[in-house]
Amino acid sequence: MNDRPWQDLLAESVTSADELCRRFPVARKTVLPVIDQYPMRINPYFLSLIREPGDPIWRQAIPDPAELEDTLPEADPLAEEAQSPVPGLIHRYPDRVVFLVSSQCALFCRHCMRKRQVGKSNAMKPGTVDNGIAYIQETPAIRDVILSGGDPFLLSDDHLIEDILKPLRGIPHVEILRIHTRIPCTLPQRITEALVRRLKAFAPLYINIQFNHPAEITPNATQACARLADAGIPLGCQTVLLKGVNDSPVVMRRLMQKLLAIRVRPYYIHQGDLVKGTGHFRTSVREGLDIMSALRGHTSGMCVPQYMIDLPGGGGKIPLLPEYVIEKRHNEWYIQTFDNRIVAYPVSNEGRRRN
Ligand SMILES: *Cc1c(COP(=O)(O)O)cnc(C)c1O
Ligand code: SF4
């Protein structure tokens, strides 16, 4: 199964309540209203990673009635739509944009921050690609373009390369291209040799992947990442902190170590956004900080990402760090080590000058 063409695997995805109920002990009447609001798609590769009901793979893939009972009110708390000068292009920061070029994915993640849009047939306005490219062309301040969605790798090779990557590469002020994707994790068969050969031409092109659990680092995922890395494409990971999936220092540390071993550099751990329909995945910020304390010093610094919260209203991403500075005196700070000792550090040289 795991070496079949990705198009066949995608076509065999579980998308209806009846198919889901045939495979798993879930009630049709609890699934139907959920997938009516937020579509389901579970391709057979990702489905094969489920070991038992409620496990970390299950929680990311199987619709949960809690999605409809959520008390979080906002479908778009980060004000992405208000910060879109043209549909599908979010321009929040001075020099970079997020360009939503697809509304389709190989898995509709139950925790998706764009669940208001993904998988919905009307999510992509006609002309999105052309209007987005025209805006980028007319805006010389943009030097970094992030293709996202949905998943850009759900587009055909030709459409992604000829209609999107090539025109963007032709714009002189666009220095950096990035693709944000879950494909190497959710349907690694999509990373074909033919695709990688064509992507190679667009350097500097960075690919950031969302892996959320060590069980996602399979032989197939490892091969997909190896192909990309062998083509000289730097890989990063943007993990989402999710209750019941990876909200534990032991699980998160193992994930970060395994990512580094497949040449994927952990970039961000995201605090879950306040998106309607995802409240059952939310952890406290304290738990996120505890995970960061359990990484720094305890394992390779190369696999310690930054812990980010994305502020409501479009305030942007801000990194949070555990409090390492315990006390600030006049010219000495008391700093906590990773193994909980306190060490004094001279922060100014006033003392020295007086001597
Ligand atoms: C996350 C994000 C970016 C990219 O942020 P980096 O910190 O540069 O990775 C750009 N624009 C928007 C709207 C984003 O949400
Ligand atoms: S792959 Fe990304 S965009 Fe698609 S459903 Fe999952 S989190 Fe959302």
PDB file of all heavy atoms in Angstrom, residues 39 41 60 100 102-115 118-119 148-152 154 180-183 186 210 212 240, ligand 2:
ATOM      1  N   PRO A  39     -15.325  19.519   6.722  1.00  0.00           N
ATOM      2  CA  PRO A  39     -15.192  18.276   5.957  1.00  0.00           C
ATOM      3  C   PRO A  39     -14.126  17.332   6.512  1.00  0.00           C
ATOM      4  O   PRO A  39     -13.193  17.763   7.201  1.00  0.00           O
ATOM      5  CB  PRO A  39     -14.797  18.754   4.565  1.00  0.00           C
ATOM      6  CG  PRO A  39     -14.862  20.226   4.553  1.00  0.00           C
ATOM      7  CD  PRO A  39     -15.136  20.722   5.911  1.00  0.00           C
ATOM      8  N   ARG A  41     -11.345  14.282   5.489  1.00  0.00           N
ATOM      9  CA  ARG A  41     -10.617  13.504   4.482  1.00  0.00           C
ATOM     10  C   ARG A  41      -9.464  12.836   5.204  1.00  0.00           C
ATOM     11  O   ARG A  41      -8.643  13.523   5.828  1.00  0.00           O
ATOM     12  CB  ARG A  41     -10.099  14.382   3.351  1.00  0.00           C
ATOM     13  CG  ARG A  41      -9.331  13.554   2.292  1.00  0.00           C
ATOM     14  CD  ARG A  41      -8.723  14.416   1.210  1.00  0.00           C
ATOM     15  NE  ARG A  41      -9.712  14.830   0.226  1.00  0.00           N
ATOM     16  CZ  ARG A  41      -9.526  15.871  -0.597  1.00  0.00           C
ATOM     17  NH1 ARG A  41      -8.427  16.585  -0.531  1.00  0.00           N
ATOM     18  NH2 ARG A  41     -10.453  16.199  -1.473  1.00  0.00           N
ATOM     19  N   GLN A  60      -5.980  13.698  15.487  1.00  0.00           N
ATOM     20  CA  GLN A  60      -5.760  14.681  14.425  1.00  0.00           C
ATOM     21  C   GLN A  60      -6.666  14.447  13.218  1.00  0.00           C
ATOM     22  O   GLN A  60      -6.852  15.347  12.403  1.00  0.00           O
ATOM     23  CB  GLN A  60      -4.298  14.633  13.958  1.00  0.00           C
ATOM     24  CG  GLN A  60      -3.306  15.045  15.027  1.00  0.00           C
ATOM     25  CD  GLN A  60      -1.878  14.985  14.483  1.00  0.00           C
ATOM     26  OE1 GLN A  60      -1.462  15.811  13.699  1.00  0.00           O
ATOM     27  NE2 GLN A  60      -1.134  13.967  14.909  1.00  0.00           N
ATOM     28  N   LEU A 100      -2.217  31.947  -0.065  1.00  0.00           N
ATOM     29  CA  LEU A 100      -3.030  30.729   0.078  1.00  0.00           C
ATOM     30  C   LEU A 100      -3.424  30.232  -1.313  1.00  0.00           C
ATOM     31  O   LEU A 100      -4.368  30.722  -1.916  1.00  0.00           O
ATOM     32  CB  LEU A 100      -4.269  31.025   0.926  1.00  0.00           C
ATOM     33  CG  LEU A 100      -3.986  31.649   2.304  1.00  0.00           C
ATOM     34  CD1 LEU A 100      -5.287  31.991   3.026  1.00  0.00           C
ATOM     35  CD2 LEU A 100      -3.146  30.699   3.156  1.00  0.00           C
ATOM     36  N   SER A 102      -4.066  26.972  -2.269  1.00  0.00           N
ATOM     37  CA  SER A 102      -4.830  25.724  -2.356  1.00  0.00           C
ATOM     38  C   SER A 102      -5.765  25.669  -1.162  1.00  0.00           C
ATOM     39  O   SER A 102      -5.431  26.156  -0.081  1.00  0.00           O
ATOM     40  CB  SER A 102      -3.859  24.535  -2.313  1.00  0.00           C
ATOM     41  OG  SER A 102      -4.531  23.341  -1.977  1.00  0.00           O
ATOM     42  N   SER A 103      -6.947  25.087  -1.353  1.00  0.00           N
ATOM     43  CA  SER A 103      -7.821  24.893  -0.184  1.00  0.00           C
ATOM     44  C   SER A 103      -7.973  23.401   0.097  1.00  0.00           C
ATOM     45  O   SER A 103      -8.836  22.995   0.868  1.00  0.00           O
ATOM     46  CB  SER A 103      -9.184  25.527  -0.441  1.00  0.00           C
ATOM     47  OG  SER A 103      -9.789  24.914  -1.556  1.00  0.00           O
ATOM     48  N   GLN A 104      -7.132  22.591  -0.546  1.00  0.00           N
ATOM     49  CA  GLN A 104      -7.231  21.141  -0.399  1.00  0.00           C
ATOM     50  C   GLN A 104      -6.027  20.579   0.356  1.00  0.00           C
ATOM     51  O   GLN A 104      -4.951  21.160   0.315  1.00  0.00           O
ATOM     52  CB  GLN A 104      -7.307  20.483  -1.785  1.00  0.00           C
ATOM     53  CG  GLN A 104      -8.595  20.808  -2.523  1.00  0.00           C
ATOM     54  CD  GLN A 104      -9.834  20.344  -1.780  1.00  0.00           C
ATOM     55  OE1 GLN A 104      -9.853  19.254  -1.205  1.00  0.00           O
ATOM     56  NE2 GLN A 104     -10.872  21.174  -1.759  1.00  0.00           N
ATOM     57  N   CYS A 105      -6.230  19.448   1.033  1.00  0.00           N
ATOM     58  CA  CYS A 105      -5.164  18.799   1.794  1.00  0.00           C
ATOM     59  C   CYS A 105      -5.334  17.288   1.686  1.00  0.00           C
ATOM     60  O   CYS A 105      -6.412  16.807   1.343  1.00  0.00           O
ATOM     61  CB  CYS A 105      -5.229  19.192   3.270  1.00  0.00           C
ATOM     62  SG  CYS A 105      -5.250  20.976   3.516  1.00  0.00           S
ATOM     63  N   ALA A 106      -4.274  16.567   2.018  1.00  0.00           N
ATOM     64  CA  ALA A 106      -4.331  15.104   1.988  1.00  0.00           C
ATOM     65  C   ALA A 106      -4.962  14.549   3.255  1.00  0.00           C
ATOM     66  O   ALA A 106      -5.277  13.358   3.344  1.00  0.00           O
ATOM     67  CB  ALA A 106      -2.929  14.540   1.808  1.00  0.00           C
ATOM     68  N   LEU A 107      -5.089  15.413   4.254  1.00  0.00           N
ATOM     69  CA  LEU A 107      -5.766  15.089   5.509  1.00  0.00           C
ATOM     70  C   LEU A 107      -6.400  16.394   5.944  1.00  0.00           C
ATOM     71  O   LEU A 107      -5.725  17.430   5.902  1.00  0.00           O
ATOM     72  CB  LEU A 107      -4.733  14.651   6.563  1.00  0.00           C
ATOM     73  CG  LEU A 107      -5.256  14.525   7.998  1.00  0.00           C
ATOM     74  CD1 LEU A 107      -6.039  13.228   8.168  1.00  0.00           C
ATOM     75  CD2 LEU A 107      -4.120  14.574   9.020  1.00  0.00           C
ATOM     76  N   PHE A 108      -7.676  16.366   6.304  1.00  0.00           N
ATOM     77  CA  PHE A 108      -8.233  17.576   6.907  1.00  0.00           C
ATOM     78  C   PHE A 108      -8.036  17.446   8.414  1.00  0.00           C
ATOM     79  O   PHE A 108      -8.777  16.752   9.099  1.00  0.00           O
ATOM     80  CB  PHE A 108      -9.710  17.750   6.533  1.00  0.00           C
ATOM     81  CG  PHE A 108      -9.932  18.038   5.064  1.00  0.00           C
ATOM     82  CD1 PHE A 108     -11.062  17.587   4.404  1.00  0.00           C
ATOM     83  CD2 PHE A 108      -8.991  18.776   4.330  1.00  0.00           C
ATOM     84  CE1 PHE A 108     -11.262  17.851   3.042  1.00  0.00           C
ATOM     85  CE2 PHE A 108      -9.175  19.047   2.970  1.00  0.00           C
ATOM     86  CZ  PHE A 108     -10.311  18.577   2.332  1.00  0.00           C
ATOM     87  N   CYS A 109      -6.988  18.115   8.901  1.00  0.00           N
ATOM     88  CA  CYS A 109      -6.614  18.008  10.313  1.00  0.00           C
ATOM     89  C   CYS A 109      -7.729  18.626  11.162  1.00  0.00           C
ATOM     90  O   CYS A 109      -8.163  19.742  10.877  1.00  0.00           O
ATOM     91  CB  CYS A 109      -5.318  18.757  10.561  1.00  0.00           C
ATOM     92  SG  CYS A 109      -4.021  18.277   9.410  1.00  0.00           S
ATOM     93  N   ARG A 110      -8.108  17.928  12.182  1.00  0.00           N
ATOM     94  CA  ARG A 110      -9.220  18.428  12.999  1.00  0.00           C
ATOM     95  C   ARG A 110      -8.823  19.698  13.743  1.00  0.00           C
ATOM     96  O   ARG A 110      -9.672  20.477  14.161  1.00  0.00           O
ATOM     97  CB  ARG A 110      -9.712  17.350  13.976  1.00  0.00           C
ATOM     98  CG  ARG A 110     -10.089  16.006  13.378  1.00  0.00           C
ATOM     99  CD  ARG A 110     -10.759  16.057  12.021  1.00  0.00           C
ATOM    100  NE  ARG A 110     -12.051  16.748  11.993  1.00  0.00           N
ATOM    101  CZ  ARG A 110     -12.758  16.968  10.885  1.00  0.00           C
ATOM    102  NH1 ARG A 110     -12.290  16.566   9.713  1.00  0.00           N
ATOM    103  NH2 ARG A 110     -13.909  17.611  10.944  1.00  0.00           N
ATOM    104  N   HIS A 111      -7.522  19.909  13.923  1.00  0.00           N
ATOM    105  CA  HIS A 111      -7.043  21.085  14.672  1.00  0.00           C
ATOM    106  C   HIS A 111      -6.700  22.256  13.753  1.00  0.00           C
ATOM    107  O   HIS A 111      -6.149  23.244  14.215  1.00  0.00           O
ATOM    108  CB  HIS A 111      -5.784  20.699  15.468  1.00  0.00           C
ATOM    109  CG  HIS A 111      -4.684  20.185  14.569  1.00  0.00           C
ATOM    110  ND1 HIS A 111      -4.550  18.839  14.263  1.00  0.00           N
ATOM    111  CD2 HIS A 111      -3.700  20.824  13.894  1.00  0.00           C
ATOM    112  CE1 HIS A 111      -3.517  18.699  13.436  1.00  0.00           C
ATOM    113  NE2 HIS A 111      -2.988  19.891  13.194  1.00  0.00           N
ATOM    114  N   CYS A 112      -7.018  22.172  12.462  1.00  0.00           N
ATOM    115  CA  CYS A 112      -6.526  23.168  11.498  1.00  0.00           C
ATOM    116  C   CYS A 112      -6.908  24.598  11.888  1.00  0.00           C
ATOM    117  O   CYS A 112      -8.058  24.884  12.194  1.00  0.00           O
ATOM    118  CB  CYS A 112      -7.089  22.859  10.116  1.00  0.00           C
ATOM    119  SG  CYS A 112      -6.515  24.028   8.872  1.00  0.00           S
ATOM    120  N   MET A 113      -5.908  25.511  11.824  1.00  0.00           N
ATOM    121  CA  MET A 113      -6.192  26.931  12.147  1.00  0.00           C
ATOM    122  C   MET A 113      -7.006  27.603  11.045  1.00  0.00           C
ATOM    123  O   MET A 113      -7.562  28.673  11.253  1.00  0.00           O
ATOM    124  CB  MET A 113      -4.893  27.710  12.374  1.00  0.00           C
ATOM    125  CG  MET A 113      -3.987  27.652  11.191  1.00  0.00           C
ATOM    126  SD  MET A 113      -3.015  29.093  10.657  1.00  0.00           S
ATOM    127  CE  MET A 113      -3.560  30.483  11.489  1.00  0.00           C
ATOM    128  N   ARG A 114      -7.045  26.997   9.845  1.00  0.00           N
ATOM    129  CA  ARG A 114      -7.875  27.568   8.759  1.00  0.00           C
ATOM    130  C   ARG A 114      -9.045  26.651   8.466  1.00  0.00           C
ATOM    131  O   ARG A 114      -9.454  26.491   7.320  1.00  0.00           O
ATOM    132  CB  ARG A 114      -7.043  27.817   7.496  1.00  0.00           C
ATOM    133  CG  ARG A 114      -5.962  28.842   7.716  1.00  0.00           C
ATOM    134  CD  ARG A 114      -5.503  29.593   6.483  1.00  0.00           C
ATOM    135  NE  ARG A 114      -4.427  30.473   6.912  1.00  0.00           N
ATOM    136  CZ  ARG A 114      -3.125  30.186   6.751  1.00  0.00           C
ATOM    137  NH1 ARG A 114      -2.754  29.083   6.126  1.00  0.00           N
ATOM    138  NH2 ARG A 114      -2.211  31.012   7.207  1.00  0.00           N
ATOM    139  N   LYS A 115      -9.633  26.056   9.532  1.00  0.00           N
ATOM    140  CA  LYS A 115     -10.721  25.117   9.252  1.00  0.00           C
ATOM    141  C   LYS A 115     -11.963  25.836   8.753  1.00  0.00           C
ATOM    142  O   LYS A 115     -12.879  25.201   8.246  1.00  0.00           O
ATOM    143  CB  LYS A 115     -10.981  24.154  10.412  1.00  0.00           C
ATOM    144  CG  LYS A 115     -11.510  24.710  11.701  1.00  0.00           C
ATOM    145  CD  LYS A 115     -11.451  23.635  12.798  1.00  0.00           C
ATOM    146  CE  LYS A 115     -12.425  22.480  12.539  1.00  0.00           C
ATOM    147  NZ  LYS A 115     -12.185  21.348  13.440  1.00  0.00           N
ATOM    148  N   VAL A 118     -10.562  25.249   4.750  1.00  0.00           N
ATOM    149  CA  VAL A 118      -9.997  24.085   4.054  1.00  0.00           C
ATOM    150  C   VAL A 118     -11.080  23.075   3.681  1.00  0.00           C
ATOM    151  O   VAL A 118     -12.013  22.830   4.439  1.00  0.00           O
ATOM    152  CB  VAL A 118      -8.869  23.351   4.824  1.00  0.00           C
ATOM    153  CG1 VAL A 118      -7.664  24.234   5.026  1.00  0.00           C
ATOM    154  CG2 VAL A 118      -9.362  22.749   6.095  1.00  0.00           C
ATOM    155  N   GLY A 119     -10.928  22.547   2.495  1.00  0.00           N
ATOM    156  CA  GLY A 119     -11.828  21.513   2.010  1.00  0.00           C
ATOM    157  C   GLY A 119     -13.162  22.043   1.527  1.00  0.00           C
ATOM    158  O   GLY A 119     -13.996  21.285   1.063  1.00  0.00           O
ATOM    159  N   SER A 148       0.997  28.649   1.042  1.00  0.00           N
ATOM    160  CA  SER A 148       0.322  27.856   2.067  1.00  0.00           C
ATOM    161  C   SER A 148      -1.081  27.558   1.574  1.00  0.00           C
ATOM    162  O   SER A 148      -1.357  27.602   0.379  1.00  0.00           O
ATOM    163  CB  SER A 148       0.346  28.634   3.395  1.00  0.00           C
ATOM    164  OG  SER A 148      -0.217  27.878   4.442  1.00  0.00           O
ATOM    165  N   GLY A 149      -1.989  27.247   2.489  1.00  0.00           N
ATOM    166  CA  GLY A 149      -3.353  26.916   2.063  1.00  0.00           C
ATOM    167  C   GLY A 149      -4.217  26.562   3.257  1.00  0.00           C
ATOM    168  O   GLY A 149      -4.158  27.245   4.282  1.00  0.00           O
ATOM    169  N   GLY A 150      -4.791  25.367   3.215  1.00  0.00           N
ATOM    170  CA  GLY A 150      -4.621  24.245   2.309  1.00  0.00           C
ATOM    171  C   GLY A 150      -3.155  23.858   2.139  1.00  0.00           C
ATOM    172  O   GLY A 150      -2.279  24.393   2.769  1.00  0.00           O
ATOM    173  N   ASP A 151      -2.959  22.878   1.271  1.00  0.00           N
ATOM    174  CA  ASP A 151      -1.605  22.382   1.067  1.00  0.00           C
ATOM    175  C   ASP A 151      -1.192  22.623  -0.378  1.00  0.00           C
ATOM    176  O   ASP A 151      -1.822  22.096  -1.301  1.00  0.00           O
ATOM    177  CB  ASP A 151      -1.544  20.882   1.406  1.00  0.00           C
ATOM    178  CG  ASP A 151      -0.130  20.445   1.716  1.00  0.00           C
ATOM    179  OD1 ASP A 151       0.772  20.774   0.917  1.00  0.00           O
ATOM    180  OD2 ASP A 151       0.082  19.788   2.750  1.00  0.00           O
ATOM    181  N   PRO A 152      -0.122  23.411  -0.605  1.00  0.00           N
ATOM    182  CA  PRO A 152       0.312  23.680  -1.975  1.00  0.00           C
ATOM    183  C   PRO A 152       0.624  22.405  -2.761  1.00  0.00           C
ATOM    184  O   PRO A 152       0.493  22.382  -3.979  1.00  0.00           O
ATOM    185  CB  PRO A 152       1.576  24.534  -1.791  1.00  0.00           C
ATOM    186  CG  PRO A 152       1.397  25.180  -0.449  1.00  0.00           C
ATOM    187  CD  PRO A 152       0.668  24.167   0.387  1.00  0.00           C
ATOM    188  N   LEU A 154      -1.057  19.788  -2.931  1.00  0.00           N
ATOM    189  CA  LEU A 154      -2.242  19.146  -3.510  1.00  0.00           C
ATOM    190  C   LEU A 154      -2.478  19.636  -4.943  1.00  0.00           C
ATOM    191  O   LEU A 154      -3.296  19.080  -5.665  1.00  0.00           O
ATOM    192  CB  LEU A 154      -3.476  19.398  -2.636  1.00  0.00           C
ATOM    193  CG  LEU A 154      -3.849  18.287  -1.653  1.00  0.00           C
ATOM    194  CD1 LEU A 154      -4.715  17.229  -2.329  1.00  0.00           C
ATOM    195  CD2 LEU A 154      -2.640  17.639  -1.028  1.00  0.00           C
ATOM    196  N   HIS A 180       4.752  25.934   2.816  1.00  0.00           N
ATOM    197  CA  HIS A 180       4.283  25.359   4.080  1.00  0.00           C
ATOM    198  C   HIS A 180       3.339  24.210   3.769  1.00  0.00           C
ATOM    199  O   HIS A 180       2.359  24.384   3.057  1.00  0.00           O
ATOM    200  CB  HIS A 180       3.567  26.423   4.914  1.00  0.00           C
ATOM    201  CG  HIS A 180       4.534  27.304   5.650  1.00  0.00           C
ATOM    202  ND1 HIS A 180       4.151  28.148   6.658  1.00  0.00           N
ATOM    203  CD2 HIS A 180       5.883  27.436   5.535  1.00  0.00           C
ATOM    204  CE1 HIS A 180       5.220  28.781   7.127  1.00  0.00           C
ATOM    205  NE2 HIS A 180       6.272  28.372   6.466  1.00  0.00           N
ATOM    206  N   THR A 181       3.651  23.036   4.294  1.00  0.00           N
ATOM    207  CA  THR A 181       2.952  21.826   3.876  1.00  0.00           C
ATOM    208  C   THR A 181       2.900  20.798   4.998  1.00  0.00           C
ATOM    209  O   THR A 181       3.718  20.829   5.914  1.00  0.00           O
ATOM    210  CB  THR A 181       3.690  21.208   2.657  1.00  0.00           C
ATOM    211  OG1 THR A 181       3.039  19.982   2.284  1.00  0.00           O
ATOM    212  CG2 THR A 181       5.145  20.898   2.970  1.00  0.00           C
ATOM    213  N   ARG A 182       1.924  19.870   4.903  1.00  0.00           N
ATOM    214  CA  ARG A 182       1.949  18.682   5.768  1.00  0.00           C
ATOM    215  C   ARG A 182       2.208  17.426   4.952  1.00  0.00           C
ATOM    216  O   ARG A 182       2.206  16.315   5.487  1.00  0.00           O
ATOM    217  CB  ARG A 182       0.606  18.505   6.503  1.00  0.00           C
ATOM    218  CG  ARG A 182       0.451  19.314   7.757  1.00  0.00           C
ATOM    219  CD  ARG A 182      -0.455  18.615   8.786  1.00  0.00           C
ATOM    220  NE  ARG A 182       0.320  17.694   9.605  1.00  0.00           N
ATOM    221  CZ  ARG A 182      -0.183  16.967  10.596  1.00  0.00           C
ATOM    222  NH1 ARG A 182      -1.471  17.025  10.891  1.00  0.00           N
ATOM    223  NH2 ARG A 182       0.585  16.144  11.299  1.00  0.00           N
ATOM    224  N   ILE A 183       2.380  17.579   3.638  1.00  0.00           N
ATOM    225  CA  ILE A 183       2.428  16.407   2.757  1.00  0.00           C
ATOM    226  C   ILE A 183       3.509  15.379   3.128  1.00  0.00           C
ATOM    227  O   ILE A 183       3.221  14.182   3.147  1.00  0.00           O
ATOM    228  CB  ILE A 183       2.551  16.878   1.279  1.00  0.00           C
ATOM    229  CG1 ILE A 183       1.161  17.228   0.745  1.00  0.00           C
ATOM    230  CG2 ILE A 183       3.241  15.865   0.409  1.00  0.00           C
ATOM    231  CD1 ILE A 183       0.274  16.031   0.468  1.00  0.00           C
ATOM    232  N   THR A 186       1.686  13.654   5.947  1.00  0.00           N
ATOM    233  CA  THR A 186       0.348  13.063   5.800  1.00  0.00           C
ATOM    234  C   THR A 186       0.190  12.205   4.541  1.00  0.00           C
ATOM    235  O   THR A 186      -0.657  11.306   4.522  1.00  0.00           O
ATOM    236  CB  THR A 186      -0.735  14.165   5.777  1.00  0.00           C
ATOM    237  OG1 THR A 186      -0.409  15.108   4.744  1.00  0.00           O
ATOM    238  CG2 THR A 186      -0.819  14.871   7.113  1.00  0.00           C
ATOM    239  N   GLN A 210       4.663  20.353   8.796  1.00  0.00           N
ATOM    240  CA  GLN A 210       4.052  20.204  10.120  1.00  0.00           C
ATOM    241  C   GLN A 210       4.042  18.721  10.511  1.00  0.00           C
ATOM    242  O   GLN A 210       3.274  17.938   9.967  1.00  0.00           O
ATOM    243  CB  GLN A 210       2.613  20.754  10.106  1.00  0.00           C
ATOM    244  CG  GLN A 210       1.934  20.714  11.469  1.00  0.00           C
ATOM    245  CD  GLN A 210       0.426  20.968  11.407  1.00  0.00           C
ATOM    246  OE1 GLN A 210      -0.339  20.312  12.097  1.00  0.00           O
ATOM    247  NE2 GLN A 210      -0.008  21.911  10.601  1.00  0.00           N
ATOM    248  N   ASN A 212       3.610  16.469  14.051  1.00  0.00           N
ATOM    249  CA  ASN A 212       3.125  16.708  15.420  1.00  0.00           C
ATOM    250  C   ASN A 212       3.402  15.567  16.393  1.00  0.00           C
ATOM    251  O   ASN A 212       3.196  15.743  17.595  1.00  0.00           O
ATOM    252  CB  ASN A 212       1.615  16.993  15.413  1.00  0.00           C
ATOM    253  CG  ASN A 212       1.287  18.296  14.700  1.00  0.00           C
ATOM    254  OD1 ASN A 212       2.090  19.240  14.716  1.00  0.00           O
ATOM    255  ND2 ASN A 212       0.141  18.356  14.063  1.00  0.00           N
ATOM    256  N   VAL A 240       2.417  21.980  15.947  1.00  0.00           N
ATOM    257  CA  VAL A 240       1.361  22.630  16.722  1.00  0.00           C
ATOM    258  C   VAL A 240       1.226  21.879  18.047  1.00  0.00           C
ATOM    259  O   VAL A 240       1.133  20.643  18.061  1.00  0.00           O
ATOM    260  CB  VAL A 240       0.015  22.613  15.967  1.00  0.00           C
ATOM    261  CG1 VAL A 240      -1.024  23.433  16.730  1.00  0.00           C
ATOM    262  CG2 VAL A 240       0.181  23.147  14.551  1.00  0.00           C
TER     263      VAL A 240
HETATM  264  S1  SF4 B   2      -2.684  20.096   6.193  1.00  0.00           S
HETATM  265 FE1  SF4 B   2      -2.486  22.172   7.086  1.00  0.00          FE
HETATM  266  S2  SF4 B   2      -4.040  23.411   6.026  1.00  0.00           S
HETATM  267 FE2  SF4 B   2      -4.537  21.245   5.648  1.00  0.00          FE
HETATM  268  S3  SF4 B   2      -6.003  20.721   7.249  1.00  0.00           S
HETATM  269 FE3  SF4 B   2      -3.975  20.145   8.008  1.00  0.00          FE
HETATM  270  S4  SF4 B   2      -3.285  21.949   9.193  1.00  0.00           S
HETATM  271 FE4  SF4 B   2      -5.005  22.628   7.866  1.00  0.00          FE
END
